[in-house]
Amino acid sequence: MYQATLSRRSYLFNDLRQLLAKASPARSGDYLAEVAADSAEERMAARIALADVPLKTFLQQLLVPYEHDEVTRLIVDSHDALAFAPISHLTVGDFRDWLLSEQADSAMLARVAAGITPEMAAAVSKLMRNQDLILVAKKCRVITRFRNTLGLPGRLSVRLQPNHPTDSLQGIAASMLDGLLYGCGDAVVGINPASDSLPLLEKLNYMLDDVIQRFAIPTQSCVLTHVTNTLRLMERGVPVDLVFQSIAGTEAANQGFGINLALLAEAQQAALSLNRGTLGNNVMYFETGQGSCLSSNAHHGVDQQTCEARAYAVARHFSPLLINTVVGFIGPEYLYDGKQIIRAGLEDHFCGKLLGLPLGCDVCYTNHAEADQDDMDTLLTLLATAGLTFLIGVPGADDIMLNYQSTSFHDALYIRELLGLKHAPEFADWLTKMQITDERGQLRDTAANHPLLLALQGERR
């Protein structure tokens, strides 16, 4: 039982699960799940009580039962007590103050990351203003490698997302080459296929591999199909760089995705055996998003932001090259408007980076949400200031296959120029060599006989 008094009224919270939910910023998903605070005053009382909870409590009072949930077992069994030691004496409120202090520099945050559980990260985020989330995330350094180096300070990468509603190879090739000529694609060239047909998935993988190999592009490709499809493709000798899967924060929600930890481990080992990386062996790519546990009725009464943080424990276990929150994709039932989407994006980024993940964000919204592109401009700018690992690049910001609004190739140009952010170093060198950018990293005018344009003409024929 937890208690706080505010305005001469005493508020009681039955357990840690309820306390975390009541302390969360208002969002439509928590109201839908009937776990949100009934008033702003109750929310503040919950935060006051939460600030006094020792961090050790999260190792003793589990939100989802150990015996019923493999994600909980993963969190508990993989907890690094030695990494936790420097902060083990802190309460949640003390933890916030410590994170904002000069003592918690990049090196120290890297040392303690393995000792921080997702519930600790979620708890402290609920006490933080947006500027706090930005400042701490900025200090977190997470570097990963496959064919290039991602996450270095002063760098921002882009996933080139050339989706097509009918999986037209010509249409995908056109969008891909368009993105490359805008300097996008250093995070990954990643296609969401409209079909799960294995022959089609094979063609997409071979096409991506052909372009990357033909032009010696220091990047990686990924066809974002279900992990079981990717396993079958690897068994057939198809050139697979990264294994993709959507993941969630409870065992039951992951079962809804048709996965478990053993299946992810099998896929990781299969990808590692291909030895396709040239600089590193981070072979996994995960996507998450607040509301996924609620949408499958697998949240166990835990608020959606804490469930999201628990998904990061799954990701962390597999050392991914990339992970991103598709923050506004699930819809207004979970994040109602621009304000809620912005807050959720900052929370997700903070929690992921604090836990040691190379977190990116699909800065996005659905067309029936109370949000617009100005909200996305705001979130993109805040996340890039906070040290975002990568964003999404979609032609015109309008994904015509998934039918949602994201960020464009032009948005990447904007944020690079505004904050002086560079590409992944190996990709930056390639852009200069291909005369797509000049020595300062600025885009050049592309001549009609540029090799990439000639290649596009060949694909169209």
Side-chain angles (χ1 to χ4, degrees), residues 5 70 83 92 106 108 164 168 218 226 247 261 274 279 288 326 338 357 369 428 444:
T5 301
E70 68 172 1
V92 177
S106 298
M108 176 59 78
H164 193 278
S168 162
H226 194 270
I247 57 174
L261 298 181
L274 300 180
L279 296 183
T288 66
V326 193
L357 286 170
R444 294 176 179 268

Side-chain angles (χ1 to χ4, degrees), residues 238-250:
V238 176
V240 171
D241 287 346
L242 305 182
V243 174
F244 168 80
Q245 184 55 49
S246 294
I247 57 174
T250 69

Side-chain angles (χ1 to χ4, degrees), residues 253-296:
N254 283 324
Q255 286 175 346
F257 285 137
I259 63 167
N260 55 37
L261 298 181
L263 180 61
L264 294 178
E266 179 186 354
Q268 182 188 35
Q269 290 306 309
L272 287 171
S273 71
L274 300 180
N275 198 31
R276 292 178 58 80
T278 55
L279 296 183
N281 59 0
N282 300 112
V283 297
M284 305 298 281
Y285 174 21
F286 296 118
E287 283 190 344
T288 66
Q290 288 194 28
S292 57
C293 289
L294 176 58
S295 66
S296 59

Side-chain angles (χ1 to χ4, degrees), residues 13 34 56 59 93 108 191 200 255 257 272 310 365 445:
F13 307 97
E34 299 182 341
K56 290 179 180 178
L59 300 173
M108 176 59 78
I191 301 170
L200 173 69
Q255 286 175 346
F257 285 137
L272 287 171
R310 284 170 55 91
Y365 64 101
D445 291 334

Side-chain angles (χ1 to χ4, degrees), residues 74 178 208 219 244 266 316 368 377 424 430 450:
L74 175 67
D178 185 31
L208 292 175
T219 191
F244 168 80
E266 179 186 354
R316 180 167 64 176
H368 61 308
D377 287 348
W430 178 82
H450 191 279

Side-chain angles (χ1 to χ4, degrees), residues 104-274:
D105 58 13
S106 298
M108 176 59 78
L109 290 172
R111 284 199 293 272
V112 302
I116 301 171
T117 69
E119 292 85 355
M120 294 175 194
V124 75
S125 76
K126 299 176 193 299
L127 305 185
M128 301 178 107
R129 291 171 55 186
N130 287 358
Q131 64 174 249
D132 301 335
L133 300 173
I134 293 168
L135 182 60
V136 176
K138 178 72 171 180
K139 295 192 287 184
C140 296
R141 301 271 190 261
V142 184
I143 298 170
T144 57
R145 294 179 175 88
F146 188 77
R147 290 200 189 100
N148 58 19
T149 306
L150 304 175
L152 293 169
R155 308 274 177 170
L156 175 65
S157 297
V158 178
R159 170 190 161 188
L160 203 173
Q161 184 169 299
N163 295 342
H164 193 278
T166 64
D167 290 329
S168 162
L169 295 184
Q170 291 181 338
I172 289 170
S175 294
M176 177 171 57
L177 294 171
D178 185 31
L180 290 170
L181 291 172
Y182 274 105
C184 295
D186 48 345
V188 64
V189 181
I191 301 170
N192 298 92
S195 168
D196 282 332
S197 160
L198 278 183
L200 173 69
L201 298 176
E202 278 195 24
K203 290 179 182 178
L204 292 175
N205 273 283
Y206 276 113
M207 183 192 73
L208 292 175
D209 184 63
D210 176 65
V211 172
I212 289 174
Q213 300 301 329
R214 193 190 326 173
F215 295 102
I217 308 174
T219 191
Q220 37 281 328
S221 66
C222 186
V223 176
L224 283 71
T225 186
H226 194 270
V227 63
T228 53
N229 288 332
T230 306
L231 275 167
R232 293 169 68 187
L233 291 171
M234 289 189 285
E235 290 169 357
R236 294 164 70 153
V238 176
V240 171
D241 287 346
L242 305 182
V243 174
F244 168 80
Q245 184 55 49
S246 294
I247 57 174
T250 69
E251 179 178 347
N254 283 324
Q255 286 175 346
F257 285 137
I259 63 167
N260 55 37
L261 298 181
L263 180 61
L264 294 178
E266 179 186 354
Q268 182 188 35
Q269 290 306 309
L272 287 171
S273 71
L274 300 180

